[in-house]
Amino acid sequence: MRWLLALATLCAAALPAIAGADPPMSWVYIAPLTPESQSARLGYGVPATEDGLVSMDCRRASGRLTITTWADLASKGVVATLTAGGARSRRTAKVEPNDIAEGVEISISTSSRDPVMAAFRQGAPLSVRLGKAVTRLPKVDPAAAENFFRFCG
């Protein structure tokens, strides 16, 4: 009987791969390409692909970062609410046409020292609210967060 349970467990684990389920997403720190490079990225998506949900970009020691996501919004004046670990901040988002897919690209500029970003850096999950749509992101890998925020300043 145990072998039947083991076989059922194995089949259940393999089913998503067989059925073509989406690969798992994770946080990835994309380090500067050279020591002279002036930008870095922290992205949440499918590793080794262009399939991303959110990216954070900054220039070296700027103290500023841009959070980019994509949506099916038609509005030009979008207010984004960022939350993490009990901290909350509201930012006006820049909305531009998305040249690659349907919808729009949404960019949110904030300080790397914003209380929300500080909570995220310390391991709190990050939420990005655009109107009624909320994107909830899991905790970031501590080493990736530390490398990114140290670079950003």
Side-chain angles (χ1 to χ4, degrees):
M1 198 51 133
R2 277 192 199 167
W3 69 269
L4 187 58
L5 180 59
L7 180 61
T9 303
L10 181 62
C11 288
L15 191 58
I18 295 169
D22 292 333
M25 291 189 166
S26 63
W27 284 103
V28 176
Y29 172 63
I30 302 171
L33 297 176
T34 67
E36 298 81 29
S37 291
Q38 294 300 308
S39 62
R41 172 173 285 173
L42 182 64
Y44 183 73
V46 178
T49 72
E50 295 291 320
D51 188 9
L53 186 60
V54 170
S55 70
M56 295 182 192
D57 297 275
C58 72
R59 302 215 21 97
R60 184 186 302 273
S62 67
R64 304 285 310 161
L65 61 93
T66 301
I67 301 168
T68 304
T69 189
W70 299 266
D72 294 327
L73 301 173
S75 173
K76 296 291 182 202
V78 174
V79 174
T81 303
L82 307 172
T83 57
R88 171 174 292 171
S89 63
R90 293 172 51 97
R91 302 278 181 254
T92 300
K94 181 178 175 184
V95 180
E96 297 181 28
N98 184 347
D99 297 331
I100 298 171
E102 292 181 27
V104 293
E105 181 177 291
I106 299 164
S107 301
I108 307 156
S109 179
T110 191
S111 167
S112 59
R113 293 174 187 84
D114 180 287
V116 172
M117 293 295 103
F120 173 70
R121 181 179 186 173
Q122 296 299 315
L126 176 67
S127 291
V128 180
R129 177 182 293 274
L130 300 163
K132 293 182 181 180
V134 179
T135 301
R136 289 179 176 83
L137 302 162
K139 295 178 181 181
V140 66
D141 172 67
E146 190 55 35
N147 288 333
F148 179 73
F149 284 98
R150 189 177 326 118
F151 181 90
C152 296

